[in-house]
Amino acid sequence: MEKNNPLYKEQGIHVISSLFTVEHGVVKVLLIKRKNEPYKDFWALVGGALYNNEDLETGIEREIEEKTGLTNLNLKLINVHGKVDRSPVMRMVAISYLGVIDINRVNFQESTLKTSAAEWFDIKDVKNLQLAYDHAEIIESAFHELKHQILKSNILTSLFPSGFTLPEIHQVYEAILEHPLDRRNFRRKLLSLNLVEDTGKYFNFAGKKPAKLYKFKENIEDTDIF
Amino acid sequence: MEKNNPLYKEQGIHVISSLFTVEHGVVKVLLIKRKNEPYKDFWALVGGALYNNEDLETGIEREIEEKTGLTNLNLKLINVHGKVDRSPVMRMVAISYLGVIDINRVNFQESTLKTSAAEWFDIKDVKNLQLAYDHAEIIESAFHELKHQILKSNILTSLFPSGFTLPEIHQVYEAILEHPLDRRNFRRKLLSLNLVEDTGKYFNFAGKKPAKLYKFKENIEDTDIF
DNA sequence: GCAAAAGTGTTCGCAATACACCCATGG
DNA sequence: CCATGGGTGTATTGCGAACACTTTTGC
């Protein structure tokens, strides 16, 4: 391995996260506005260059914490984007992670060295934005994978740190999958999986029957859900 | 992006393939013996450093062709391995691909600049070898993914370029999944998927009833198989 | 008491599973 | 003619899909 062979000199690694949330039945993705070149003033996913002294997971967690204040996320490696010209500066390969977070937990770090703003965008509006790098493609791939993940893993646990009602989580599934699910079958299925437990509490919406509050059990493993 | 920031200077990308075959009910993985440092004389997976002027897919296809003469493989991106110290030379992130090939198609290029031998190893024997880098871990992850892929994609098509009998492919499934499958149910299931077609030919084993020869249809899409 | 949404139970159909017998060939 | 392995059919079961009624609350 010759370090200075021009065939593979000056390469780098991006770690990039597509962070999703669901609010009032709308799937949203977190974007930040870049302060520096390249792609100054473009909206971009949360991420950046991997450091030499950190593992991939550490790197993406650091990037997310720097820009959102969030820690302890349940991230999943989902894809790699490595087209020759995806970065205008030098050859960069992007390792793409997926995460789902409760919108209320996010505490944006408004003024960092590299970003000037952070905002949630409706996934349907993202296609109208000019994003930095190949981030549009990365989001598309991540959203596609999100649909799989909610059927095959417990990725949604972090969406509801303080519990959820069945109508709420049902709406989340429909929003992400973009098609309706039968209420009663959904309910029976989810409860039969032994992933959630009744908290005994109820949650009141205005003028309607209160709904039971459930929460995910601790330490549940990834399993096929649907 | 400052090219010379020591935090992320001198990084590189490995593209690495776990190539599997199944012969007489035994799952095998292709390894090559390294001729150069680091890990001189260690067995290793087929792969190497990504060039700056090629996409990831192109890179892994080039590496495979250089070392085995094989082209037109159906490779799947399956994982990323990026621990800080996985390479002793410099920071390298490995992009791992999975492929399945017919053992008869392989035409080893015995004398290349970087390798001195290529050999198929029983997957069960690999754990007793000292492999280069973190290749043991990569193989384990790839084999795990192979079990999923034969249930959810048509990755096996390239195992049988000249067709197969149902007993043959049945044995392949059992070998990869490492557990028995009911012959009759397997048969019905596979034929009902519309993935294979009868060639009208028969294949004779010694002293037994000839088996029908089937082949995969052209241009079949990935679908859930089991 | 009525509108609105939560909660519950039953039927149906299909697909996976389990299982037993007949058939074609080489020796 | 027999041993070996290939090829076929059927009964059962469990799960997902479709579907309608009752309950609780705020107003």
Side-chain angles (χ1 to χ4, degrees), chain B residues 31-34 39 41-45 117-119 121 129-133 135:
Chain B
L31 300 178
I32 58 173
K33 193 159 215 167
R34 290 178 61 87
Y39 293 104
D41 296 328
F42 280 64
W43 290 100
L45 288 168
E119 210 173 294
F121 285 85
L129 292 174
Q130 277 285 352
L131 299 187
Y133 298 99
H135 288 193

Side-chain angles (χ1 to χ4, degrees), chain A residues 183-212:
Chain A
R183 244 173 68 232
R184 298 153 289 191
N185 294 333
F186 175 83
R187 181 183 207 88
R188 175 180 25 238
K189 178 72 188 183
L190 193 64
L191 294 179
S192 74
L193 289 169
N194 235 24
L195 296 177
V196 307
E197 55 187 358
D198 198 329
T199 62
K201 298 181 196 154
Y202 286 82
F203 191 85
N204 276 50
F205 298 97
K208 284 141 209 171
K209 180 173 177 177
K212 273 189 197 167

Side-chain angles (χ1 to χ4, degrees), chain B residues 69-114:
Chain B
L70 283 171
T71 57
N72 277 323
L73 301 176
N74 181 16
L75 298 172
K76 286 185 190 296
L77 172 69
I78 51 163
N79 211 343
V80 179
H81 298 258
K83 289 216 182 82
V84 168
D85 59 356
R86 63 171 295 281
S87 163
V89 179
M90 58 187 271
R91 180 64 187 278
M92 299 295 290
V93 169
I95 317 294
S96 150
Y97 287 84
L98 167 67
V100 172
I101 55 188
D102 177 19
I103 199 168
N104 300 310
R105 279 180 64 215
V106 179
N107 175 20
F108 296 128
Q109 313 292 301
E110 288 289 346
S111 302
T112 74
L113 209 63
K114 292 183 177 169

Side-chain angles (χ1 to χ4, degrees), chain A residues 97-113:
Chain A
Y97 286 83
L98 168 66
V100 173
I101 55 188
D102 177 19
I103 198 167
N104 300 312
R105 279 181 64 215
V106 180
N107 174 20
F108 296 128
Q109 313 292 302
E110 287 291 345
S111 301
T112 72
L113 210 64

Side-chain angles (χ1 to χ4, degrees), chain A residues 117-135:
Chain A
E119 210 173 294
W120 290 102
F121 285 85
D122 185 334
I123 184 78
K124 293 184 200 302
D125 296 336
V126 167
K127 37 177 87 48
N128 301 321
L129 292 175
Q130 277 284 352
L131 299 188
Y133 297 98
D134 53 354
H135 289 192

